[in-house]
Amino acid sequence: MQVERIKGWLLIVALVALAVVAAWKVEDLGRSDRRSLQSRPAEVMGTSCRVIAVPGDNAEPRAAASAAGRALKEAEAALRRVEAEMSRHIHASALSRLNAAPAHKPVMLPPAVLEVLRDSQDLHAQTRGAFDVTSRPLIELWRSAGEVGKLPSRADIDRARRASDWTSLELGQKTALKRTNTVQVDLGGIAKGYGIDRAAEALRAAGMAGGLVDVGGDLRVFGSPPQGQAWEVKVQDPKGPGTIVTLAVKDGAVCTSGGYHRYVTIDGRQYSHIIDPRTGEPAQAVASATVLAADTTTADAWATALSVVGEEGLAWLPKKVEALLVVAAHDQLRSVMTRGMKQRIVAGPVYPVSEKQGDASGRGAR
Ligand code: AMP
Ligand code: MG
């Protein structure tokens, strides 16, 4: 009887261990210059995720490997915490509670959600309204239009535009308050970046000398890479499986947005999942927008914003935020970029660099 019970427990322990390994596979990158551990793609925030932890050179190998293993777990936990608080797919998330709340009732929110909301409000001003997390009714309208395969009417679009905006959302120290019932928030354009920042911080806090956190192609790197002096970041071609450019980044974040990887098709035409809050229509300014910044929260939001406004937005970029846009002109794609972005390129760009680049603020490449 006793033996049977022990057997049962052993089976449960083995199954749990298997489940953990399956969710977050770890492999040793020891073949390269520096010893490092990498999680193989696991799912987080509805997309694939890869984390690399590089322990310091002086650590004793066994201790270094277990420190790197712990660091990977901390990074994963940080990502999952952000997802649990900010996902629109999770009914119990703080974001879902805010969206479900009635007007004039303060909603207690975790500090992280309030921080992202405050950042989003700043970014709304910096991007002159192009980045707007209160556009959720429009986002939902176009999402469901894609599901039924029918374009929304102008009246529907105007109604969704009027339903929600920043004047109807009040942020307090610990709470947010909706001034109308219809205001709705979608953090899909920034929460992933915020989560990546928290995961990179977790790697650092766990003593790693270097690290990479990549969620669905948006990423942050710091310190020593497993090989060489800088991390090589490849930016995906919006028109196919290849790479348009390779960047060398020591410390920083790179995010790419565009209608190419998520869109709806109505009457044979593709519509981006990114909405222009000014018109209420899906964005169509660029094929892709890649942003390099010190942190992923900034890079994520600006990549979404530049997908809305295109080249004009390059002049609005804050200092030390760099961008590369792929835009269509006369049926051909071309690249437009800021000077700082050009300096990071080690291969590419595949599409010819526009002659017309540059802007009034001197942020252009020439
Ligand atoms: P990303 O892939 O980072 O560009 O984020 C796209 C997601 O951000 C969409 O799926 C929406 O959830 C949300 N979104 C769409 N348009 C906007 C916008 N103009 N401002 C802020 N978030 C947006
Ligand atoms: Mg974004």
Side-chain angles (χ1 to χ4, degrees), residues 130-132 139 143 186 188-189 257 262 273-275 277 300 304 308:
F131 184 78
D132 188 349
I139 295 166
R143 198 176 277 139
D186 182 315
S257 284
R262 274 192 291 146
H273 67 299
I274 299 170
I275 305 298
D300 193 1
T304 306
V308 172

Side-chain angles (χ1 to χ4, degrees), residues 192 216-219 234-236 238 244 254-258 260-261 287-291 299-300 303-304 307 324:
K192 198 202 308 170
D218 289 341
L219 58 86
K234 294 184 188 308
V235 177
Q236 200 198 317
I244 47 163
V254 180
C255 293
T256 300
S257 284
Y260 67 96
H261 63 154
S288 73
T290 300
V291 175
D300 193 1
T304 306
S307 301
L324 161 67

Side-chain angles (χ1 to χ4, degrees), residues 38 47-52 79 192-201 203 211-222 230-236 245-257 290-300 303 344:
Q38 152 167 271
T47 183
S48 66
C49 161
R50 184 172 64 111
V51 182
I52 299 178
L79 284 166
K192 198 202 308 170
Y194 182 85
I196 293 171
D197 281 336
R198 300 294 75 81
E201 244 168 45
L203 291 178
L212 169 145
V213 182
D214 175 336
V215 182
D218 289 341
L219 58 86
R220 171 130 180 217
V221 296
F222 69 90
W231 296 83
E232 274 200 355
V233 177
K234 294 184 188 308
V235 177
Q236 200 198 317
V245 85
T246 305
L247 307 170
V249 186
K250 280 195 168 164
D251 273 277
V254 180
C255 293
T256 300
S257 284
T290 300
V291 175
L292 174 80
D295 65 273
T296 330
T297 310
T298 304
D300 193 1
R344 308 294 180 97

Side-chain angles (χ1 to χ4, degrees), residues 7 18 25 87 89 188 224:
K7 265 194 196 156
L18 238 154
K25 291 180 198 145
S87 171
H89 301 287
S224 321

